[in-house]
């Protein structure tokens, strides 16, 4: 039987705010979706606690949110930088390391998001997930297509997301060919 270490769970609102500031400090400006993906990846923070901490961090002027091309971009303010530098040790080392590693991956995937955006939505820790896939119109205008696909668990949703990112244009062509006879694709 394989040993699985217990999950570390952060539920202190101040520690979550420090965690948010720490991630933005180490990774640079992030969109709201990117930060949400990073925070929820390791299940260390409850999603509702994350949303509340983000709101408080904005009210306390630790983090600022600005609209950029229909996305909220989160930046660290001086008080947030000080908080990240001074109190990052409140966040367990394993969570810091895993989050920064996954954050680098999220930023790398951002380049692919010019044509397709995949987001995983989940309810609770063992609940089913949904993979929301948006095929973007690279020439501007409305999205080409948006799909919401059921996944039995988070691991399978992650695998589905990886497959979409491998060849997004092939996926669009296959789906479009299913519905359009003599397609131009």
């Amino acid at each position: 039987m394989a040993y699985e270490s217990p999950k570390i769970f952060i539920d202190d609102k101040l520690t979550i705010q420090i965690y948010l500031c720490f991630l933005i400090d180490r990774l640079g400006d992030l969109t709201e979706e990117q930060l949400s993906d990073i925070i929820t990846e390791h299940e260390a923070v409850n999603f509702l606690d994350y949303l509340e901490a983000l709101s408080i961090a904005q009210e306390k002027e630790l983090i600022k949110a600005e609209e950029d091309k229909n996305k909220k971009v989160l930046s660290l303010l001086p008080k947030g930088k000080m908080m990240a530098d001074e109190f990052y040790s409140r966040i367990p080392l394993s969570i810091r390391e895993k989050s920064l590693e996954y954050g680098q991956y999220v930023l790398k995937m951002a380049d692919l998001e010019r044509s397709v955006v995949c987001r995983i939505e989940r309810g609770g820790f063992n609940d089913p997930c949904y993979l929301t896939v948006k095929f973007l119109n690279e020439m501007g205008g409305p999205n080409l297509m948006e799909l919401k696909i059921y996944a039995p668990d988070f691991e399978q949703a992650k695998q589905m997301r990886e497959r979409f990112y491998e060849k997004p244009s092939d996926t669009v062509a296959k789906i479009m060919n299913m519905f359009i006879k003599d397609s131009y694709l």
Side-chain angles (χ1 to χ4, degrees), residues 11 19 57 70 91 100 106 123 130 133 140 160:
D11 59 357
Y19 184 31
N70 298 327
I91 308 158
L100 289 177
V106 166
Y130 290 92
V133 182
M160 291 166 58

Side-chain angles (χ1 to χ4, degrees), residues 52-96:
E52 185 178 349
L54 180 60
S55 176
I56 293 168
Q58 289 175 2
E59 288 172 16
K60 290 182 177 180
E61 297 181 353
L62 305 173
I63 296 171
K64 96 175 154 182
E66 292 182 326
E67 285 288 326
D68 182 36
K69 298 179 185 171
N70 298 327
K71 290 185 180 185
K72 278 191 180 176
V73 177
L74 304 171
S75 304
L76 202 56
L77 294 170
K79 283 171 43 178
K81 170 81 171 130
M82 188 266 320
M83 197 174 211
D85 291 342
E86 297 287 324
F87 302 108
Y88 72 91
S89 61
R90 285 184 63 158
I91 308 158
L93 178 62
S94 62
I95 297 296
R96 290 192 313 251

Side-chain angles (χ1 to χ4, degrees), residues 118-129:
C118 295
R119 294 284 176 252
I120 297 173
E121 300 170 24
R122 56 178 162 179
F125 292 123
N126 292 320
D127 291 344
C129 299

Side-chain angles (χ1 to χ4, degrees), residues 29-40:
D29 293 353
L30 298 168
T31 66
E32 222 173 37
E33 288 178 336
Q34 289 170 331
L35 184 60
S36 173
D37 284 354
I38 296 166
I39 291 289
T40 58

